[in-house]
Amino acid sequence: MQTVVSEKQRLFATEPIGKLIIKFAVPSVIALLVNSLYNIVDQIFIGNGIGYLGNGATNIVFPITIIALALAMMIGNGGAAFLSLKLGEGNVDRAKKGIGNAVIMVIAVSIILAAVFLIFINPILTLFGATDTLRPYALEYGWIIGIGLPFMMISGAINSMIRADGSPKYAMFSMIIGAILNVILDAIFIFPLQMGVKGAAIATVIGQVASFIVSVIYMPQFKTIHLNKEAFHLDVKV
């Protein structure tokens, strides 16, 4: 069992608390604020380009994205906490296994959630308040958002683990790039291309895919652990 702890792994044990708060809290707050812009930007562009029916439709779909984000944060923060605890113990092997298992879990949960939402989209939208007038808009928007749920959830969970690995600025960048792309594409798809709520949904998913790609690229570059194939073998005893 590997228990050797490098200098990078001693970051939290040696750095002053004030410096750590600035280094980790500020990028995390910025990333969360930027992430909240997804829905706000959609509402602004849809309100101006489509109208109140478009806004109503996106608000009906919004609860499923909150549920997805909550599950992603639960898994991601759990994996991040496990990483920190095991590195604190000097148990690198278990830290590595915990991250691998968290990634497998969020992939599985995200696919299941997306499948359930897309299969039962009509009753779910009814549960969230869809009317006959709003339903066509909500379906058009919801189908595309449902397809993008795994990308949003996986990138969100990995983001938490990237911060725990000591790279809060990278985690912030992965979320900012998606939000910026969403803003640019919203303006293009809704106004010049006249794609309506479908355009807003496509812009959101493309932004989420961009964040997903940036987050996944980081995986082989973890500073505190080396993620090999063994790390991704599901083990309930980690």
Side-chain angles (χ1 to χ4, degrees):
M1 179 178 66
Q2 185 182 355
T3 57
V4 178
V5 181
S6 69
E7 288 300 319
K8 289 180 180 178
Q9 293 165 356
R10 295 192 183 99
L11 176 66
F12 290 106
T14 58
E15 291 285 350
I17 298 298
K19 185 176 179 180
L20 285 174
I21 290 174
I22 294 173
K23 182 176 181 179
F24 285 85
V26 173
S28 298
V29 170
I30 293 173
L32 289 172
L33 288 173
V34 168
N35 191 50
S36 68
L37 287 176
Y38 273 102
N39 187 57
I40 295 171
V41 168
D42 275 354
Q43 293 298 329
I44 292 171
F45 281 109
I46 290 172
N48 284 280
I50 301 163
Y52 70 93
L53 290 176
N55 285 134
T58 56
N59 282 328
I60 287 169
V61 177
F62 189 57
I64 192 65
T65 65
I66 293 298
I67 293 170
L69 185 61
L71 290 170
M73 291 301 97
M74 179 183 70
I75 297 170
N77 290 339
F82 190 87
L83 173 66
S84 299
L85 286 169
K86 294 307 167 186
L87 288 178
E89 295 174 0
N91 195 332
V92 179
D93 282 338
R94 291 195 59 170
K96 177 172 64 178
K97 197 75 172 175
I99 292 297
N101 277 225
V103 172
I104 293 172
M105 186 180 297
V106 75
I107 291 172
V109 170
S110 66
I111 292 173
I112 292 170
L113 181 65
V116 169
F117 176 63
L118 293 174
I119 292 170
F120 300 103
I121 189 167
N122 258 310
I124 289 174
L125 292 180
T126 300
L127 179 66
F128 292 156
T131 62
D132 291 338
T133 305
L134 290 175
R135 190 176 302 278
Y137 294 91
L139 283 170
E140 191 174 21
Y141 186 80
W143 267 102
I144 298 170
I145 292 298
I147 293 170
L149 285 178
F151 297 104
M152 181 192 73
M153 292 180 67
I154 295 168
S155 65
I158 293 176
N159 234 269
S160 297
M161 293 180 268
I162 291 174
R163 281 193 289 272
D165 187 54
S167 300
K169 290 181 180 178
Y170 189 98
M172 178 182 69
F173 168 73
S174 73
M175 300 191 78
I176 288 177
I177 192 170
I180 292 174
L181 198 55
N182 180 42
V183 171
I184 295 170
L185 294 178
D186 261 338
I188 295 171
F189 292 162
I190 292 176
F191 294 108
L193 298 183
Q194 295 289 305
M195 294 174 67
V197 291
K198 180 188 292 185
I202 293 173
T204 297
V205 171
I206 290 175
Q208 291 167 348
V209 170
S211 294
F212 166 81
I213 292 171
V214 174
S215 298
V216 170
I217 287 173
Y218 183 88
M219 296 293 286
Q221 305 173 36
F222 260 79
K223 295 186 291 187
T224 55
I225 55 176
H226 173 63
L227 292 172
N228 52 23
K229 291 181 179 179
E230 291 181 3
F232 296 97
H233 292 164
L234 190 60
D235 184 355
V236 296
K237 297 180 181 180
V238 296

